[in-house]
């Protein structure tokens, strides 16, 4: 359930085990909605930003620096909107 402590995202109904920083306890969190910040991948099954809700994609500006510092977050977008 949302707010429960977790060790990995598979334990959460939302499939997002989230922590705000490296020292905080991880808790289950809701997935990111359209226009919200998201993460395309998790580190060790825990996210610093949750992945997008079903049907949305996490559009990330891939940069070398972002990958190294683990700040390569993106914004959830609806891939269907661009194809209409």
């Amino acid at each position: 359930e949302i707010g429960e402590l977790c060790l990995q995202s598979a334990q959460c109904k939302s499939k997002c085990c989230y922590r705000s920083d490296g020292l905080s306890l991880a808790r289950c969190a809701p997935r990111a909605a359209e226009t919200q910040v998201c993460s395309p991948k998790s580190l060790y099954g825990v996210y610093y930003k949750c992945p997008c809700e079903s049907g949305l994609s996490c559009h990330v500006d891939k940069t070398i620096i972002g990958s190294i510092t683990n700040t390569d977050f993106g914004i959830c977008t609806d891939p269907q909107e661009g194809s209409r």
Side-chain angles (χ1 to χ4, degrees), residues 1-81:
E1 296 296 325
I2 301 301
E4 286 187 14
L5 291 174
C6 53
L7 295 174
Q8 55 189 9
S9 292
Q11 294 175 287
C12 304
K13 281 185 180 176
S14 66
K15 297 288 182 255
C16 178
C17 186
Y18 163 85
R19 67 168 48 165
S20 55
D21 58 58
L23 301 175
S24 63
L25 292 171
R27 295 182 180 274
C28 294
R31 293 173 78 99
E34 192 169 1
T35 72
Q36 288 187 322
V37 178
C38 56
S39 177
K41 63 184 189 325
S42 70
L43 195 65
Y44 312 116
V46 175
Y47 291 92
Y48 286 104
K49 300 287 181 192
C50 285
C52 300
E53 292 173 343
S54 181
L56 300 177
S57 61
C58 191
H59 183 74
V60 180
D61 181 18
K62 294 269 187 223
T63 62
I64 300 292
I65 295 166
S67 297
I68 294 169
T69 60
N70 200 31
T71 57
D72 54 345
F73 301 132
I75 302 292
C76 291
T77 57
D78 184 350
Q80 301 300 315
E81 285 185 10

